């Protein structure tokens, strides 16, 4: 069983820097788990502790039912694919892929069988006699994956394996690695700083910041219900709009949210959540995804007004960057909607889709 359990894991480097703090995580058998976060948040350190390449300062790491804190990397039944591929330049692709097996004194015939099988899976059979410098970036990436596959490990660890590829190849390899996960049917733990990779590849995503886990959930859950402002800003491109506002009661007993240049009444469900959280008179941070804001249709009452500053035409959709009394906003329109720079438009939100955060703790209220 390739189930991993991390309990209250800390990593303090020799210089006293705490790179990972009290990290607890259950990684399911055969899961594709993505660790994502900005540079320096501790994701590579976490992966390297799982691999056994870094000591764990405190806490317990188990693979299956075995605590492996003190187990040598080579005895953990884990294979790691690095960002720079770490291929040996003087060796052929075959020898690069066979290297780990030779070290383990695997019989020659079995080595050949395993390398050929991995090459078939990765469709690099015709490259086995080439040297790494005779390969494209994408092919090198496959060889690095091949070297991990031949070992038939319980767990694959991948540290930004696509970051050296150009944008187009990255998209292609993203799909290849997802397919590989299905083919191999084993546990993958994948580190990236790219939220699109995390969203498209992970069964679950762990969002980290400053050594701390911010949220662990499925990509959709993270997108729809970010647990705090950091996650809401990190996941989604263009990022969620944030507007400072204030909840107040109306004479009729319902709640209203006001902000510079506008106001709206939350839907009944959200009114109830705000009331039960004691937010009847409170400063809040309103979060609205760009796709949940739009230009008002004729006769519709706007929630706010905004003046168009920049438009970004992507073919299938257009992003409009605009200025409002509440600050800069970005929203999405269909490409056939005519939006001219300098025009002022009434803007409407999808009220049911708004997010509300506490401006002090930055945690989600709804
Ligand atoms: P990146 O995406 O840039 O690789 P990361 O999230 O993977 O970032 P880590 O490599 O895990 O980040 O590093 C986490 C923090 O620990 C960083 O602030 C880094 O400078 C620090 N760090 C890493 N290795 C050491 C070390 N050997 N000694 C001291 N500090 C270290």
């Amino acid at each position: 069983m390739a189930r991993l359990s991390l309990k209250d894991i800390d990593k303090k480097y020799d210089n006293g820097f705490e790179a990972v703090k009290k990290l607890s995580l259950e990684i399911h058998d055969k899961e594709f788990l993505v660790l994502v976060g900005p540079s320096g948040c501790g994701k590579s350190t976490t992966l390297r502790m799982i691999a056994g390449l870094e000591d764990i300062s405190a806490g317990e790491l188990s693979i299956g039912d075995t605590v492996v804190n003190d187990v040598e990397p080579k005895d953990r039944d884990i294979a790691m694919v690095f960002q720079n591929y770490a291929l040996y330049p003087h060796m052929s692709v075959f020898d690069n892929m066979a290297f780990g097996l030779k070290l383990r004194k695997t019989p020659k015939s079995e080595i050949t069988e395993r390398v050929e099988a991995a090459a078939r899976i990765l469709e690099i059979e015709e490259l086995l006699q080439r040297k790494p410098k005779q390969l494209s970036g994408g092919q090198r990436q496959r060889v690095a994956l091949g070297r991990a596959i031949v070992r038939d490990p319980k767990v694959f660890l991948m540290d930004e394996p696509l970051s050296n590829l150009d944008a187009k190849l990255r998209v292609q390899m993203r799909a290849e690695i997802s397919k590989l996960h299905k083919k191999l049917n084993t546990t993958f733990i994948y580190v990236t700083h790219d939220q699109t990779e995390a969203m498209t590849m992970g069964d679950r995503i762990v969002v980290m910041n400053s050594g701390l886990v911010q949220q662990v959930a499925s990509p959709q859950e993270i997108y729809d219900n970010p647990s705090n402002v950091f996650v809401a800003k990190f996941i989604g491109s263009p990022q969620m709009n944030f507007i400072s506002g204030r909840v107040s009661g109306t004479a009729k007993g319902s709640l209203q949210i006001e902000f510079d240049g506008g106001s709206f009444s939350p839907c009944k469900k959200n009114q109830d959540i705000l009331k039960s959280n004691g937010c009847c008179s409170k400063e809040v941070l309103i979060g609205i995804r760009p796709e949940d804001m739009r230009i008002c249709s004729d006769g519709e009452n706007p929630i706010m007004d905004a003046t168009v500053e920049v438009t970004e035409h992507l073919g299938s959709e257009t992003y409009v960057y605009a200025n409002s009394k509440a600050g800069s906003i970005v929203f999405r329109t269909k490409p056939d909607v005519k939006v001219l720079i300098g025009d002022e438009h009434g803007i409407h939100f999808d009220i049911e889709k708004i997010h509300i955060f506490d401006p002090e703790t930055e945690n989600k209220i709804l």
Side-chain angles (χ1 to χ4, degrees):
M1 279 283 277
R3 174 171 45 83
L4 285 89
S5 168
L6 286 74
K7 283 199 194 114
D8 291 330
I9 300 263
D10 287 337
K11 176 66 192 182
K12 201 172 190 175
Y13 281 109
D14 292 344
N15 62 0
F17 184 78
E18 285 182 81
V20 175
K21 300 163 200 163
K22 290 259 169 285
L23 188 148
S24 290
L25 195 59
E26 298 294 323
I27 304 169
H28 311 145
D29 186 32
K30 302 182 175 45
E31 179 171 33
F32 196 134
L33 186 90
V34 179
L35 302 178
V36 69
S39 180
C41 72
K43 45 196 193 301
S44 294
T45 301
T46 303
L47 203 70
R48 291 171 62 81
M49 286 192 284
I50 295 172
L53 303 174
E54 288 294 349
D55 291 337
I56 294 170
S57 309
E60 199 176 84
L61 169 67
S62 308
I63 301 177
D65 295 323
T66 313
V67 175
V68 297
N69 288 41
D70 298 322
V71 173
E72 287 285 305
K74 67 176 173 48
D75 298 326
R76 291 192 184 192
D77 206 358
I78 274 177
M80 185 144 165
V81 180
F82 295 92
Q83 179 174 1
N84 59 6
Y85 317 144
L87 301 179
Y88 299 108
H90 59 286
M91 285 187 198
S92 68
V93 167
F94 184 98
D95 288 336
N96 262 289
M97 285 169 66
F99 189 73
L101 298 177
K102 279 187 188 156
L103 280 187
R104 281 179 179 69
K105 310 240 179 311
T106 310
K108 219 170 164 184
S109 58
E110 191 183 333
I111 292 180
T112 308
E113 214 171 277
R114 287 213 209 175
V115 170
E116 284 176 355
R120 260 196 308 280
I121 290 175
L122 295 162
E123 297 174 13
I124 52 169
E125 294 134 293
E126 74 284 11
L127 306 177
L128 287 174
Q129 296 319 315
R130 291 205 200 165
K131 296 273 169 59
K133 69 169 186 301
Q134 298 167 309
L135 303 175
S136 69
Q139 289 167 335
R140 268 182 227 155
Q141 172 51 244
R142 276 166 218 263
V143 177
L145 289 170
R147 203 166 44 177
I149 293 174
V150 292
R151 292 183 38 203
D152 192 22
K154 270 202 256 178
V155 183
F156 281 83
L157 305 181
M158 302 194 184
D159 194 355
E160 308 242 8
L162 307 184
S163 58
N164 287 333
L165 304 179
D166 66 44
K168 204 167 166 195
L169 198 52
R170 231 173 18 230
V171 173
Q172 190 188 325
M173 285 304 291
R174 216 157 72 190
E176 297 277 322
I177 291 180
S178 295
K179 273 195 245 161
L180 188 64
H181 173 247
K182 293 203 171 60
K183 260 190 214 166
L184 300 175
N185 202 21
T186 183
T187 309
F188 276 35
I189 308 174
Y190 186 102
V191 160
T192 180
H193 63 271
D194 179 341
Q195 57 100 20
T196 312
E197 267 178 37
M199 287 295 286
T200 52
M201 296 171 88
D203 293 324
R204 281 191 308 156
I205 299 178
V206 180
V207 183
M208 292 182 74
N209 187 31
S210 305
L212 290 167
V213 169
Q214 303 293 309
Q215 189 169 6
V216 185
S218 69
Q220 201 60 51
E221 177 64 16
I222 291 221
Y223 190 81
D224 291 342
N225 290 307
S227 62
N228 58 32
V229 171
F230 177 83
V231 177
K233 279 187 181 165
F234 193 77
I235 301 287
S237 175
Q239 79 169 38
M240 186 183 280
N241 294 289
F242 290 95
I243 295 172
S244 296
R246 184 176 176 78
V247 183
S248 58
T250 66
K252 288 182 188 157
S254 63
L255 296 180
Q256 166 130 322
I257 299 181
E258 292 166 358
F259 55 90
D260 281 351
S263 68
F264 63 94
S265 296
C267 64
K268 171 79 176 71
K269 186 183 111 210
N270 288 346
Q271 296 236 3
D272 292 344
I273 296 173
L274 287 168
K275 282 179 188 164
S276 66
N277 277 283
C279 297
C280 296
S281 168
K282 188 177 163 43
E283 305 291 326
V284 289
L285 201 53
I286 309 156
I288 315 149
R289 295 252 181 234
E291 63 270 29
D292 299 328
M293 265 185 175
R294 60 181 166 75
I295 294 174
C296 289
S297 38
D298 288 344
E300 195 175 32
N301 279 337
I303 293 177
M304 71 195 304
D305 294 316
T307 306
V308 177
E309 289 189 317
V310 174
T311 54
E312 245 176 35
H313 300 283
L314 300 179
S316 59
E317 59 200 6
T318 298
Y319 285 103
V320 181
Y321 293 81
N323 200 14
S324 73
K325 285 196 176 137
S328 298
I329 56 165
V330 51
F331 59 91
R332 190 171 73 181
T333 63
K334 292 197 177 119
D336 54 348
V337 175
K338 246 205 158 46
V339 186
L340 298 174
I341 292 168
D343 278 1
E344 192 180 50
H345 290 281
I347 306 293
H348 202 81
F349 315 156
D350 192 341
I351 301 288
E352 299 199 344
K353 298 267 184 68
I354 60 156
H355 303 260
I356 300 286
F357 301 93
D358 183 323
E360 278 169 33
T361 63
E362 299 205 338
N363 287 332
K364 160 191 136 136
I365 298 171
L366 64 84

